[in-house]
Amino acid sequence: MQSSGHRLRDVEQHHPLLGGEEELEGAPPGDGERVWFIQDGCGMVCAFMTWFLVLYADFVVTFVMLLPSKNFWYSLINGVAFNCLAVLALTSHLRTMLTDPGAVPKGNATKEYMDSLQLKPGEVIYKCPKCCSIKPERAHHCSICKRCIRKMDHHCPWVNNCVGENNQRFFVLFTMYIALISTHALILSGFQFFTCVKVQWSECSDFSPPVAVMLMIFLCLEGLLFLTFTAVMFGTQIHSICNDETEIERLKNEKPTWERRVRWEGMKTVFGGQPSLLWINPFAGLRLRRLLMTRTRRGGPEFSV
């Protein structure tokens, strides 16, 4: 297909063409109005398991360890801290899952659209043969989302979504808060075991000793697994942001054709603006009223609002 001296190439790999859609000035990525949800069976099961395990940990910490404690302030402080971290973790998970990661519009590789780009004669543009879209720079096609995603890092089944340009900061917050509550749960479990060994187990919990021990052992195994996984993911995400290089680009050893924003510049691009408490707030930019007033549209494996 040729138009006005422009050549359209069908390629599946990452190639330079266009930048992503511009964000609002000073606003972090992911503050848009669309709700995005991928209708993938495996991803939905993994997302459900994530919520179940977090709520299970909250149940064991609250009802097995803290409420039976005779120390009021110990129970209050740890209960408030753990539940606040759990709410932040689950909110970050929801926003990662329900935020458009940066999907390129389907089927925009048309003659009319190419003419509207006003490209220079002879300039090469690239088309994804799978979703029939013109691929922006650093975009990759996701076979699960069935879309090209701008600055796609990877597809994570635990959040049932791709991690891309618009939702990477929520994924970073999700891994950080899960690592924190896992650490907190392990510390509380260790203290509970140490305390209950000195006295009768029946005095440490309202549950029978065998049930309490089994619940806490499973919590410790869950905490160790989640802490290991999320700490590694958090570290790799921060490293990628500071080097302005996605995991796909690193694995493919792609040479950068873009101007890299390293260290703090990369952090400010992903999290938005100067360092502040908003960086660690997954509620920042959430506009429920507009989301509720918008109309649901369905198409393909995802629906968006």
Side-chain angles (χ1 to χ4, degrees):
M1 183 186 299
Q2 292 183 348
S3 175
S4 303
H6 305 142
R7 294 176 293 164
L8 181 64
R9 294 184 179 179
D10 292 347
V11 293
E12 189 173 339
Q13 302 173 353
H14 157 81
H15 285 283
L17 169 65
L18 306 170
E21 296 176 0
E22 294 182 358
E23 299 285 343
L24 294 175
E25 184 177 357
D31 283 354
E33 301 173 11
R34 300 180 61 193
V35 173
W36 168 279
F37 184 76
I38 299 299
Q39 301 178 36
D40 173 61
C42 177
M44 289 188 285
V45 170
C46 290
F48 172 80
M49 287 298 298
T50 301
W51 274 69
F52 172 79
L53 292 172
V54 172
L55 294 177
Y56 168 81
D58 188 69
F59 169 80
V60 175
V61 168
T62 302
F63 293 98
V64 178
M65 291 189 282
L66 295 181
L67 287 182
S69 175
K70 297 178 181 179
N71 189 328
F72 172 77
W73 291 109
Y74 170 81
S75 300
L76 179 63
I77 294 173
N78 283 286
V80 170
F82 190 90
N83 281 276
C84 285
L85 289 174
V87 168
L88 291 170
L90 293 177
T91 303
S92 300
H93 181 273
L94 272 181
R95 297 211 67 183
T96 307
M97 182 170 62
L98 301 179
T99 298
D100 180 351
V104 179
K106 283 184 177 179
N108 65 352
T110 62
K111 178 179 181 298
E112 292 76 12
Y113 182 70
M114 287 193 299
D115 290 340
S116 69
L117 295 177
Q118 298 181 349
L119 301 174
K120 298 178 181 179
E123 186 172 354
V124 178
I125 59 179
Y126 296 90
K127 168 188 171 184
C128 173
K130 295 182 178 180
C131 58
C132 293
S133 62
I134 296 178
K135 297 183 71 171
E137 184 179 35
R138 306 183 70 182
H140 293 84
H141 186 87
C142 175
S143 59
I144 299 176
C145 297
K146 302 187 185 305
R147 300 286 289 272
C148 285
I149 307 296
R150 297 192 303 273
K151 289 185 66 176
M152 175 180 169
D153 188 85
H154 67 287
H155 185 95
C156 179
W158 297 105
V159 298
N160 188 33
N161 202 0
C162 277
V163 177
E165 183 176 76
N166 292 343
N167 67 346
Q168 187 176 24
R169 76 181 180 105
F170 300 127
F171 183 74
V172 173
L173 294 181
F174 168 66
T175 58
M176 181 183 74
Y177 286 124
I178 290 294
L180 288 176
I181 65 172
S182 298
T183 303
H184 195 181
L186 289 172
I187 293 173
L188 291 175
S189 298
F191 183 79
Q192 185 78 358
F193 275 117
F194 179 77
T195 302
C196 292
V197 165
K198 295 182 177 181
V199 298
Q200 294 293 330
W201 272 91
S202 57
E203 299 179 7
C204 288
S205 176
D206 295 334
F207 293 81
S208 63
V211 173
V213 171
M214 290 301 298
L215 290 173
M216 291 172 61
I217 289 176
F218 187 79
L219 175 63
C220 289
L221 294 175
E222 176 193 342
L224 286 171
L225 180 63
F226 269 41
L227 175 60
T228 302
F229 173 75
T230 55
V232 170
M233 287 303 301
F234 177 78
T236 56
Q237 288 295 302
I238 295 297
H239 180 269
S240 296
I241 293 172
C242 290
N243 287 278
D244 196 13
E245 181 182 48
T246 67
E247 186 66 16
I248 291 179
E249 292 164 352
R250 186 186 68 81
L251 292 175
K252 289 186 175 182
N253 198 25
E254 295 183 359
K255 296 182 179 179
T257 57
W258 60 94
E259 183 180 354
R260 281 189 166 180
R261 298 176 178 178
V262 296
R263 297 181 177 84
W264 278 112
E265 288 302 318
M267 295 288 288
K268 288 189 287 186
T269 299
V270 171
F271 289 92
Q274 296 297 324
S276 70
L277 290 178
L278 293 177
W279 280 23
I280 59 174
N281 180 13
F283 295 97
L286 186 61
R287 291 172 285 188
L288 290 176
R289 184 177 179 182
R290 289 192 178 185
L291 291 177
L292 294 174
M293 291 176 62
T294 51
R295 183 177 60 183
T296 302
R297 297 173 297 170
R298 292 180 179 268
E302 83 284 336
F303 71 83
S304 58
V305 176

